Amino acid sequence: MEYVIGVDIGTTSVKTVLYDEDGNVKGYSNNLYPLYQDTADMAEEDPEEIFSAMIEGLNHVLEKADLEHGSLKGVSYSCAMHSVICLDENYKPLTRAITWADNRAVKYADELKENGIGMELYKKTGVPTHPMTPLTKIMWLRNEKPDIYKKTRYFVGIKEYINYKLFGELKEDYSIANATGLFNIFTMDWDDQALEVAGVTRDQLPKLVDTTYQFKGMVDHCANMIGINKETPFVIGASDGPLANLGVDAIQPGVVAVTIGTSGAVRVVTDKPTIDSKGRVFCYYLSENMWVVGGPVNNGGIVFRWVRDQLCLPEKVTAEQMHLDAYDLLTQIAAAVPAGSDGLIFLPFLGGERAPIWDADARGTFFGLTRKHTRANMIRAALEGIVYNLYTVMLALEEVVGEPKKIQATGGFARSKLWRQMLADIFEQDVNIPESFEGTALGAATLGMYSLGMISSLYDVSKFVGVTNTHKPNPKNYEAYRELIPIYIRLSRYLKPEYKNIATYQRKHANDVSQDTKKD
């Protein structure tokens, strides 16, 4: 039996999954690290902590599996997009990893939108203008951290830094490069205009390679720490969004992947670069003749966590006392409320928003509150609001690639029967839940198998995904949602002029709040 490891480098953890040649899980490790949010809009990680977490994960899985010599054919990566690390001339970090969730470049994203350059670049890069992008992050560094910017020899992401430490090579795959906002999806190279706008040169960026590229000849001390043969191939892999589609077998035309984890996304695969005239959706490379078009949202399961921790502390305490999962208890409470939450609508923009509005200043709103509404209504409205937002992404996507033929849904939300049904009702489509374990890691492993010659096509992933459970839309529920969704869409548009005003106020007084908290 032959084996491959899929490594998923995420926002708060590295997930390491050992698969056999038939796609069966034979080992698993989830190694956590903190997200640093010391100031307003900041979201950083320590690259050394991520590197250590990956080493520990690989070591744990390999040690526990005790594989026969030579049976591990390779390791393949998935990685979160949009991170930036500044390296000096000796490849030492000058910064932590500035993640996709960091919004400090909002001023520069706004400038690009206002002067029209943002849309010009989108048409070449497939990346909507937003402070998540390394393009705008480097603009922010150049203008607000000039000492660091001037010392920086290389601008890289977390995967590039890890691979440099392991193999001494500074390479970047097309998929991760695509998400920087600096990569031209039609020339498959760094874009001259984007480089000029950011203020970087080609020699400050890694060499570009395809997603099937293999590293070999690991540095001795790293191989010893992991407990791996130094000549074991490491496939560079791709970014997490495209690989999530692959891992749930959503790579056929018209098959849409809907993901709700901490954040969320709606994505579909096309055979060529595809952009939106309104700039609402991204286009990211996966593999030859496979491009993933879709929209990511900031506000997925993290909103449900906020509901649990801030609105429903009594229920959380009750769940702990009864040894129940708090989320299960909250969904039970929400299930007692009719679809539409008795006319209560929640705009879930607790962390700004990406698709489809691409507004880092967007803020959350409960709309329609009356004395009749209870915490149960608010719980359900929050869950519905998350799905409403994903549905608006789907509407934008339909304009670009057509109506979906099939929906494959995955992520932490899939554990909730209520939430799965809600997705089917709001989308008015059958929703299929694949049973594949850690879909993004499976996508990485499948791409690795393809690179290593273990499978002949990425479409072979269908053999690994397994059976699916299907939820059909409930007519009684979707009739309620048909009335409420247009109100939700109009609200998000009407409030847009005030998002910037309230966000400016919040940033202005953030330090005041921090000082008051310290005094208490």
Side-chain angles (χ1 to χ4, degrees), residues 40-41 106-107 110 359-363 496-512:
D41 291 327
V106 63
K107 171 183 174 182
D110 288 346
D359 190 341
D361 289 332
R363 294 295 186 262
K496 183 173 176 57
E498 299 304 329
Y499 285 149
K500 188 175 185 65
N501 293 331
I502 195 64
T504 299
Y505 177 89
Q506 290 171 347
R507 292 187 183 106
K508 177 181 176 182
H509 294 283
N511 291 333
D512 297 342

Side-chain angles (χ1 to χ4, degrees), residues 202-276:
R202 273 180 167 73
D203 66 356
Q204 288 182 286
L205 299 171
K207 181 180 178 181
L208 294 167
V209 296
D210 209 339
T211 52
T212 52
Y213 179 84
Q214 297 176 16
F215 293 99
K216 292 181 182 177
M218 187 181 293
V219 174
D220 287 337
H221 76 271
C222 291
N224 291 335
M225 283 192 295
I226 296 170
I228 198 170
N229 185 317
K230 63 182 289 185
E231 295 304 323
T232 303
F234 273 54
V235 178
I236 196 167
S239 55
D240 54 358
L243 285 173
N245 269 59
L246 177 59
V248 297
D249 193 19
I251 55 174
Q252 298 281 358
V255 180
V256 177
V258 177
T259 303
I260 307 178
T262 301
S263 54
V266 182
R267 302 175 299 264
V268 66
V269 172
T270 63
D271 61 359
K272 60 185 178 182
T274 305
I275 58 172
D276 171 26

Side-chain angles (χ1 to χ4, degrees), residues 111 134 160 200 422 432 461 493 510 516:
E111 286 179 3
E160 295 73 65
V200 296
M422 200 178 283
N432 305 290
V461 72
R493 292 172 181 166
D516 290 342

